[in-house]
Amino acid sequence: DQQVKQNSPSLSVQEGRISILNCDYTNSMFDYFLWYKKYPAEGPTFLISISSIKDKNEDGRFTVFLNKSAKHLSLHIVPSQPGDSAVYFCAASEGSNYKLTFGKGTLLTVNP
Amino acid sequence: NAGVTQTPKFQVLKTGQSMTLQCAQDMNHEYMSWYRQDPGMGLRLIHYSVGAGITDQGEVPNGYNVSRSTTEDFPLRLLSAAPSQTSVYFCASSYSGPGRPSGNTIYFGEGSWLTVV
């Protein structure tokens, strides 16, 4: 049973436009959420995180929104750049539980 | 990637062979973990450690063994390799757990590509 779901395997956007990547979760005990970016042949790189006590966190071009009632979070990238082309993973953890649960990832392609 | 080193980067094993994937970090992080990534799947936690001498199982621990004798090192052992263990393996570390109020991040190594034939 997949607890973190990224239902869109891929997303293609034009440079300068907004990219919206979505993530749903089923475990109501998750209280910390992270987004990672991964280029081919490299390890994942931390992008941004959000605690369940917040509904929004912003860092430069990246904003994460959390809707706890819907068990849904999204990552907004504005404006999108070709260098943002990568696989984006949503991940979640529960309290002091050290286990990080990942979604399957979404491949973002930003076209020049 | 900041301070997490994995070796080897590529390895081909025969079924039944054993090997150890090495992971070292120089950031004095307490928390270390091993993940595997398979096509069409997210990263899945194999084993993790919250400090020297302390390890625990993750989501997919079968067929793997770990130990944590020092803060810096967290090797992953395949005792008898099987084709189902063909995967990309990532080691990760952080100062404390991923959900801690400090909001710290987890740093990943560059990955080890393992093929079992």
Side-chain angles (χ1 to χ4, degrees), chain A residues 16-72:
Chain A
R17 306 294 290 268
I18 184 172
S19 295
I20 300 177
L21 296 99
N22 293 304
C23 179
D24 297 294
Y25 61 96
T26 58
N27 186 346
S28 59
M29 300 302 291
F30 286 147
D31 60 1
Y32 193 64
F33 304 89
L34 307 91
W35 283 95
Y36 280 83
K37 179 169 72 173
K38 185 181 180 304
Y39 293 117
E42 293 185 10
T45 304
F46 171 75
L47 199 55
I48 193 169
S49 64
I50 188 167
S51 166
S52 61
I53 63 174
K54 295 184 176 181
D55 54 19
K56 176 182 175 182
N57 189 27
E58 193 170 356
D59 184 2
R61 296 186 297 114
F62 303 92
T63 302
V64 56
F65 296 92
L66 175 63
N67 183 334
K68 283 177 292 186
S69 61
K71 295 190 179 66
H72 177 82

Side-chain angles (χ1 to χ4, degrees), chain B residues 7 12 15 22 29 35 50 74 87 99-100:
Chain B
T7 56
V12 178
T15 298
Q22 301 290 345
H29 284 169
Y35 291 84
V50 300
F74 190 45
S87 189
R100 295 300 185 185

Side-chain angles (χ1 to χ4, degrees), chain B residues 20-99:
Chain B
T20 299
L21 298 176
Q22 301 290 345
C23 177
Q25 51 90 10
D26 59 3
M27 297 173 282
N28 201 31
H29 284 169
E30 290 295 324
Y31 176 80
M32 296 186 74
S33 54
W34 277 101
Y35 291 84
R36 61 178 286 174
Q37 185 190 12
D38 302 296
M41 304 287 288
L43 282 77
R44 292 183 292 169
L45 182 63
I46 303 172
H47 284 286
Y48 66 97
S49 168
V50 300
I54 306 170
T55 63
D56 204 348
Q57 295 181 351
E59 183 183 354
V60 288
N62 292 339
Y64 306 95
N65 205 356
V66 292
S67 60
R68 185 94 179 269
S69 57
T70 67
T71 299
E72 295 77 20
D73 301 298
F74 190 45
L76 178 71
R77 297 182 186 85
L78 283 72
L79 303 176
S80 179
S84 62
Q85 293 178 303
T86 294
S87 189
V88 184
Y89 292 84
F90 291 99
C91 179
S93 76
S94 67
Y95 182 71
S96 61

